[in-house]
Amino acid sequence: MNNTWSLREVAAPSTLWFSDGAPVTSPRPGDGTSYRLIVDRLGFLDLTSTPFAGTLQFRAIDANGGVIVNPNPADPVMELNLKIDTSGGFVLTSTSRRPGDGYVPSVSGRLKPLPTVSASDVAFIDTMVKGGYVPYPNVSGAPGKTFEEIAALGKRLFPFTPFSFQLALCVYDWTTASFTRMVFMKIFEYTGIPPPPFPTDQSSIAAMIWASNWGSYNPQNVEFMRSFLMKPAYSLDNVRTQLNDVGSELHNFSAVQNRLLSAAMNSLPRTTLFKHAQLFSGQVDIYQLGLDRFGIGFLESPANNGPVGQELISTFADALSTYVSAGRTITTKMVWSFTDSVEDAMHYSNGILLVANVPQDSWVWDQASYITPLSNDPAKTEYTFHPGSQFRVESITNATVSGRNIVIITLQASSGGQRMEPEAPEGFESTLPLVLAENKIMELVNSYVPEKHLPHTEGVTGGRRCSCLFEDGDMHY
């Protein structure tokens, strides 16, 4: 049975690494997993095994959108030769011959580009590390990681840059309460008023900081306010005064960290459609934002046009009837977190469940990164879409859970790639993962029981306030 593939011979002008940390020529399972080959100074090659229905004896490999089919399923291992030139072009060739005609398949293409990592951004983050602002110092209930552990992961996942530690650290920090800072400073930008850095809605940022109230993450807490470059505050006016003093530096802090975060997320190995055909997100994941600030998280919101000083807000009903309506394309302003189960997403939902369906033109989630290995809590499954990710709104439906209204927004992720169907012999069909139908998702949502998550140990949120810590007049959830 052909359950593995390997690179037998590799010719490249620079150093190579695989994202799993194993030697480049090691056999890898042909189980629908994508492995990222990192080529120093040149780019990434995502090698994705694509299984076929009917038998495990036949495999194909997708190489950055081009497909090479195993010509001889009797071979115990699908062996490949790879040549990479100095311009980033590659040719991948099978070592097997098709029985009877001697056909040897091959595919060519180009490496995906490495991200740009600014040395000045790294220097700034280094000063924030020395000052104790990064990472968030105390995330109760999560095991966390030491600097040594983060550095080791950085060297494995980002070996192409001398700034691997800082990239890994920014992802780690995102999984702590620092994500609040990074979200606020992005969604409250007037992105319709160029040029960058865009002006921000300072009044709304201050109000959202003042309204923070989950566990130790509140405006009277030293560590929480320090994450905003402030001191503990006991009134909204005091938050506003402090923000007026540190607003420019805080905005730059967020911009730098979001750039490094995006570079890191874009460098991580991709998750294949064979592993997950859908991802789910409970929104809004910062509860005090409320539904009427959901829409300002997208570049398409008219509120982004200001004027400066006008509150950045868009009623949920207006957003759903216009730029977030079915058939429209939305573009995220900030990082978006997803998980792989409806139940986990519902645990963090404050009125919205997002369902992201597989890209139609790629075998991998090009815009989504699996960041759990870098998380402060290895038990929490998290996939993130980087700022600027685009989705087509497919449908909007409503559900009721324990008397609480939930709006289900189904999205089609875009990738910008071009998925080629593998050429299979007669009798073989490519196996695509099942996408849960809308009625099945509705069934899972309706069967969600919030009480299963109670009682919740205080602080065990990884920096995020899950809905079971929140109480209102309608229900305890």
Side-chain angles (χ1 to χ4, degrees):
M1 297 176 68
N2 180 35
N3 289 320
T4 63
W5 61 270
S6 69
L7 297 178
R8 189 182 71 172
E9 295 180 3
V10 180
S14 56
T15 305
L16 304 173
W17 307 271
F18 258 117
S19 56
D20 60 358
V24 169
T25 56
S26 292
R28 289 174 169 83
D31 59 356
T33 299
S34 186
Y35 292 87
R36 173 155 281 190
L37 183 67
I38 304 159
V39 186
D40 195 26
R41 302 190 303 277
L42 292 177
F44 303 120
L45 175 59
D46 291 327
L47 296 171
T48 307
S49 58
T50 59
F52 287 88
T55 180
L56 293 177
Q57 290 185 311
F58 195 91
R59 302 276 177 182
I61 296 291
D62 176 279
N64 282 4
V67 177
I68 181 169
V69 177
N70 181 16
N72 189 355
D75 287 349
V77 178
M78 183 178 177
E79 292 188 329
L80 305 161
N81 291 338
L82 175 64
K83 292 183 179 180
I84 301 172
D85 62 38
T86 55
S87 70
F90 71 85
V91 177
L92 188 67
T93 305
S94 171
T95 64
S96 298
R97 296 182 178 276
R98 181 178 296 166
D101 62 13
Y103 169 70
V104 175
S106 66
V107 67
S108 61
R110 297 200 61 78
L111 302 177
K112 297 178 181 180
L114 298 172
T116 299
V117 182
S118 165
S120 61
D121 282 353
V122 170
F124 179 85
I125 286 295
D126 284 344
T127 65
M128 303 311 284
V129 173
K130 290 178 182 177
Y133 298 98
V134 175
Y136 195 90
N138 179 26
V139 183
S140 58
K145 286 183 171 63
T146 65
F147 276 8
E148 291 75 17
E149 290 171 325
I150 295 170
L153 284 166
K155 287 181 179 179
R156 175 167 71 82
L157 295 168
F158 315 117
F160 60 89
T161 172
F163 309 130
S164 60
F165 169 72
Q166 290 85 354
L167 292 184
L169 184 64
C170 284
V171 178
Y172 173 82
D173 199 33
W174 164 262
T175 68
T176 73
S178 292
F179 93 101
T180 310
R181 174 186 66 246
M182 289 184 257
V183 169
F184 285 171
M185 301 308 295
K186 291 297 287 184
I187 67 171
F188 287 115
E189 287 183 327
Y190 296 101
T191 51
I193 305 178
F198 302 107
T200 57
D201 179 1
Q202 297 267 91
S203 179
S204 290
I205 294 170
M208 293 300 100
I209 293 173
W210 175 247
S212 299
N213 183 26
W214 69 104
S216 62
Y217 312 125
N218 63 73
Q220 287 77 54
N221 181 268
V222 172
E223 292 173 344
F224 183 71
M225 292 303 286
R226 185 172 171 77
S227 74
F228 290 98
L229 309 183
M230 300 182 195
K231 296 179 180 178
Y234 295 88
S235 71
L236 175 57
D237 284 343
N238 184 239
V239 177
R240 288 172 174 162
T241 299
Q242 290 194 68
L243 183 59
N244 186 60
D245 293 337
V246 303
S248 295
E249 186 180 1
L250 183 62
H251 194 197
N252 182 57
F253 183 11
S254 169
V256 168
Q257 196 162 17
N258 270 287
R259 283 195 294 268
L260 293 175
L261 188 64
S262 295
M265 290 176 177
N266 284 320
S267 301
L268 291 170
R270 305 292 91 179
T271 298
T272 71
L273 311 190
F274 305 106
K275 296 298 183 182
H276 296 294
Q278 286 173 314
L279 297 172
F280 308 91
S281 181
Q283 294 291 326
V284 289
D285 58 357
I286 301 178
Y287 79 98
Q288 69 263 36
L289 289 172
L291 294 180
D292 289 343
R293 292 185 180 84
F294 172 72
I296 66 167
F298 307 111
L299 295 180
E300 290 74 19
S301 173
N304 293 319
N305 298 323
V308 175
Q310 180 171 293
E311 184 181 13
L312 258 172
I313 197 166
S314 176
T315 67
F316 191 47
D318 285 347
L320 295 188
S321 65
T322 55
Y323 58 95
V324 190
S325 59
R328 301 293 290 269
T329 296
I330 52 177
T331 310
T332 60
K333 291 166 75 172
M334 72 293 187
V335 175
W336 236 3
S337 288
F338 282 69
T339 187
D340 56 9
S341 79
V342 170
E343 184 179 45
D344 284 351
M346 287 295 296
H347 189 49
Y348 288 88
S349 171
N350 286 292
I352 302 171
L353 174 68
L354 300 178
V355 181
N357 286 332
V358 296
Q360 292 182 332
D361 53 2
S362 177
W363 293 111
V364 298
W365 290 88
D366 279 321
Q367 295 183 95
S369 304
Y370 178 60
I371 67 168
T372 296
L374 286 165
S375 176
N376 75 88
D377 185 358
K380 182 180 178 183
T381 300
E382 185 171 0
Y383 295 82
T384 53
F385 287 84
H386 58 77
S389 295
Q390 289 193 320
F391 302 84
R392 183 179 183 274
V393 181
E394 293 193 325
S395 66
I396 300 173
T397 55
N398 293 280
T400 302
V401 179
S402 301
R404 177 187 177 208
N405 293 327
I406 297 291
V407 177
I408 303 171
I409 304 175
T410 302
L411 306 168
Q412 174 72 63
S414 64
S415 70
Q418 184 177 3
R419 184 169 72 204
M420 298 174 59
E421 292 288 343
E423 176 190 346
E426 186 176 353
F428 289 84
E429 296 179 356
S430 59
T431 303
L432 285 175
L434 293 176
V435 175
L436 293 177
E438 187 174 294
N439 62 342
K440 180 61 177 177
I441 293 173
M442 187 71 73
E443 179 184 324
L444 291 171
V445 170
N446 289 331
S447 65
Y448 176 74
V449 181
E451 289 75 16
K452 283 185 177 180
H453 296 280
L454 298 173
H456 198 300
T457 304
E458 182 179 358
V460 186
T461 63
R464 298 169 189 266
R465 176 169 178 165
C466 55
S467 56
C468 70
L469 292 178
F470 186 48
E471 190 172 347
D472 67 10
D474 294 328
M475 64 174 292
H476 185 185
Y477 60 93

